Every structure is written in structure tokens, then in C-alpha cells.
Amino acid sequence: MRGTAVAAIALTSLMVVSACAKDSGGGTTPTGSGSACEFSTPPTAPATSSTSAASGDKVDGSALKIGLAYDIGGRGDASFNDLAALGFDQAIKDMGVKKENTRELSAAPNEDEAAKQTRLRQLASEGFNPIVGVGFAYTESLKVVAPEFPNVKFGLVDSAVEGATNVTPLVFAEQEGAFLAGVVAAYQSKKCHVGFVGGVDIPLIQKFEAGYNQGARTAAPKVKIDKKYITPAGDFTGFQDPPKGQEAAKGLIDKGADVVYPAAGASGIGVFAAVKQAGVLAIGCDADQYNQPTLAANRDVIVASSLKRVDVAVYDFFHAAAANNLAALPKVFDLKVNGMGYATSGGKIDAKLQGILEGYKKDIVDGKIKVADTP
């Protein structure tokens, strides 16, 4: 099952094949762009780094009608929703789903629960099955709608519905990918001062903050970290407001941060604009944002990206549902099952830092490093 997903997604530009290099030293020697930080001795890089791409069973989905309900931002957010779209598109292609048997619907900022319920109910009542709700915002709605359609298989990204046997949680260890982003930030900072921009101050985004902070401080214990959330809990416009993202990033840069990491959905577009204007650096989030067309004007400031493989989870869910084998899905999409990862597109990460990242990744996978999920 996992092999099928990895092999399929490898055809896309979001798949990362990480070069592997042995660490050529540790201690305080800087790498990358000449950081001012003093570094801990990093773990030794593994001898090889590879991703399994074993062939999985083909599934015939030509008779299926599959649906996708996006979170706010929808297709084109250059982040979370676009990854879901990628997995959706790949599943359609691989399983032979007819175009007329697919449907995508998007959420509006700060819409009420009735609108979400209506969207899910519309898909289910029109015969779409399986259906994925992209984002924890669909949790409360699925508590109501899923029991109304007991024969419909729902997948829910980033959350779970207790007691709903027809809702499969698709959850991630976001903090693990963010940890690696923190390591990159520490090594790339010339001032040993980095920043974090969160879209909305909620537990999900706090997981990114926690991992980022831990990664940066594990690599460089004296690194300075500033943060800014665009909106408080309850106001989800923080995921779709590039001007406010730009303002938040500018505030961090004005304080001295020279590497900024946004976990802010489409608001990250504004973060990258501020970073470009200031002549500093950024780390992408969720997708390989260096390769996102909507970010082409500012991509040269993106030195790496943490990957939250929503594409893999969505693809895997549709594949498993079509094969009537949802039990094959992992309980958590983490580094170990390639549900999280990192990208170094753009060639700004040298072989030494690549090896350091692989060493930290291996320690997380092996359980030697436990990444906190709260700041």
C-alpha cells in the first residue's frame, strides 16, 4: 500500500530524493551561508538515504465517484490544499476514475458549520464515495454528516471523529518536519536569529512552532527565535491573508530575524514577498514551495521546505478505500512512513548540511530524538 503511494507521487515535482553525504565534522564549524551560531555536534549521517518505491497493487477505480472538500484557500494556495489536489489528481489518474465522476468544493473564510455540513452532504447525496475533507475544520461537520451516510467512506485530514467508523483520520507528525526546518534555519542564519510565522494560533500550527523551535535549538542551543501569529484561534482568515503574512514577516525581520519559516497556508505568499524585499531567507512549509508556480517571483529566497505529505495521505486513502482495505493506512503519517520530509530544491543546501539533516532525520525515525508537539 505504501509502495503504491510513494511510486505514484514520485512522478510529481513534490517528491524529494535527498542526496546523502557523510558529515565532515561537527562542533561549532558553520556550514551553508556562514551562520554566526555555535552548533552542537550533529548526529552522523546514515551511509545511504533512500525511499522505498516498491510496486503496489493496481486498483480499478473506473466505477468510483470521488470527492474532495477543500479547506479555505482551495486549489492554488501553493501549500496545504494544493498538496491535497495533487494526491486527488494522482489517484484519479492511477485508478482510472472518469473526470465526470470527480468533484471538488472549497470552503469560504470563517464560514459557519452549516456551510461545511451542506458541502459534505451535497457530495455524499450526489453519490460521491469516498470523500476527503481537507482540514480539521471539517471535524464538527463530519460528526453530524457521517452518521447520515453510513455507507460513505470519509477521510479527514488533520483530525479524527471519535466513534465514527466511516471516518478515517489522516493525521501527521508535523513537528518532525518542522524540526528539520529549524535545523536548516539555524545553519542558514547569519545572525543566529530566526523567525516563525503561524497562520492561526491553534494547536495544529503550534505543532509546527514546537518542532521548529526544538530543531533550531538542538542544532544551535543559543539561537534566538521570534514568532508571530497572524490571527488568534477562531479567526481562520490567518490562513488566507498574504498582506497580513507580509506584515507579520516584516515585523520579525525588523527585530533581526534573517530566516523566516511560515506555517500559514496562503498567507505564506506574503511572507515570502517580505523576505524577498528584505534580502533575507525563508523556509517553505507543507509543499516544496521553491517549485510552486505561484511563488516563482520569490522562490530564490526559499532555501528548503518542510514537507507535509498531504498528497501521499489523500492518495493512500482513495487507493485504500477503492481496495476496501482502509486498515492498511498508517495511524500517523510521520517521517518513518514518508508522511513528513524535507525538500532542498534550488541548490542552496550544501552536501554537508544535507548530511546533517539526514542524521537528525534518522535519529527521529529511530526514536533517539523525540520531537515535542507543543511549544
Side-chain angles (χ1 to χ4, degrees), residues 252-342:
L252 297 179
I253 294 165
D254 287 345
K255 288 182 178 180
D258 63 357
V259 183
V260 182
Y261 175 56
S267 297
I269 296 170
V271 172
F272 299 128
V275 168
K276 177 68 174 288
Q277 186 175 36
V280 293
L281 300 174
I283 299 171
C285 185
D286 289 345
D288 181 357
Q289 294 194 300
Y290 181 89
N291 284 321
Q292 291 294 303
T294 55
L295 298 173
N298 297 320
R299 73 176 189 170
D300 55 312
V301 303
I302 301 173
V303 296
S305 295
S306 69
L307 300 182
K308 178 176 176 178
R309 303 303 304 275
V310 179
D311 52 334
V312 170
V314 168
Y315 179 95
D316 277 11
F317 171 75
F318 283 126
H319 186 282
N324 197 30
N325 190 23
L326 290 172
L329 293 172
K331 299 299 182 185
V332 178
F333 288 86
D334 57 13
L335 281 173
K336 191 171 186 176
V337 299
N338 298 302
M340 299 299 301
Y342 70 95

Side-chain angles (χ1 to χ4, degrees), residues 7-28:
I9 303 300
L11 297 174
T12 75
S13 64
L14 292 180
M15 185 60 191
V16 179
V17 181
S18 297
C20 179
K22 291 188 176 182
D23 181 36
S24 58
T28 61

Side-chain angles (χ1 to χ4, degrees), residues 74-277:
R75 226 184 238 267
D77 72 344
S79 185
F80 185 78
N81 286 295
D82 272 354
L83 283 167
L86 177 64
F88 184 68
D89 292 345
Q90 195 68 49
I92 292 168
K93 179 181 177 181
D94 287 0
M95 299 192 307
V97 181
K98 298 179 177 67
K99 189 63 178 176
E100 61 268 24
N101 288 339
T102 68
R103 181 72 56 83
E104 302 168 64
L105 299 175
S106 293
N110 291 333
E111 66 182 12
D112 59 20
E113 286 300 321
K116 294 180 178 65
Q117 290 179 25
T118 297
R119 185 176 305 112
L120 295 170
R121 198 174 281 119
Q122 177 185 344
L123 289 169
S125 63
E126 291 179 359
F128 290 93
N129 183 18
I131 298 168
V132 170
V134 184
F136 67 89
Y138 286 101
T139 307
E140 295 302 316
S141 298
L142 277 171
K143 289 179 181 178
V144 176
V145 176
E148 297 175 3
F149 300 91
N151 295 322
V152 174
K153 298 170 182 174
F154 293 94
L156 177 57
V157 176
D158 282 346
S159 190
V161 178
E162 188 174 351
T165 58
N166 61 329
V167 179
T168 300
L170 305 173
V171 295
F172 299 80
E174 290 92 349
Q175 67 275 14
E176 293 184 355
F179 180 102
L180 299 177
V183 173
V184 173
Y187 275 95
Q188 291 290 300
S189 174
K190 294 180 179 179
K191 300 178 180 179
C192 205
H193 188 168
V194 303
F196 173 81
V197 175
V200 183
D201 195 358
I202 53 175
L204 174 64
I205 305 305
Q206 290 165 8
K207 289 171 72 177
F208 286 95
E209 180 194 348
Y212 181 68
N213 291 351
Q214 186 177 343
R217 290 191 173 119
T218 298
K222 295 181 181 179
V223 67
K224 183 175 181 180
I225 306 172
D226 285 323
K227 70 176 180 181
K228 176 66 177 179
Y229 281 90
I230 296 171
T231 56
D235 180 359
F236 294 103
T237 61
F239 291 129
Q240 198 183 15
D241 196 332
K244 285 187 178 179
Q246 186 167 1
E247 180 184 347
K250 185 178 183 303
L252 297 179
I253 294 165
D254 287 345
K255 288 182 178 180
D258 63 357
V259 183
V260 182
Y261 175 56
S267 297
I269 296 170
V271 172
F272 299 128
V275 168
K276 177 68 174 288
Q277 186 175 36

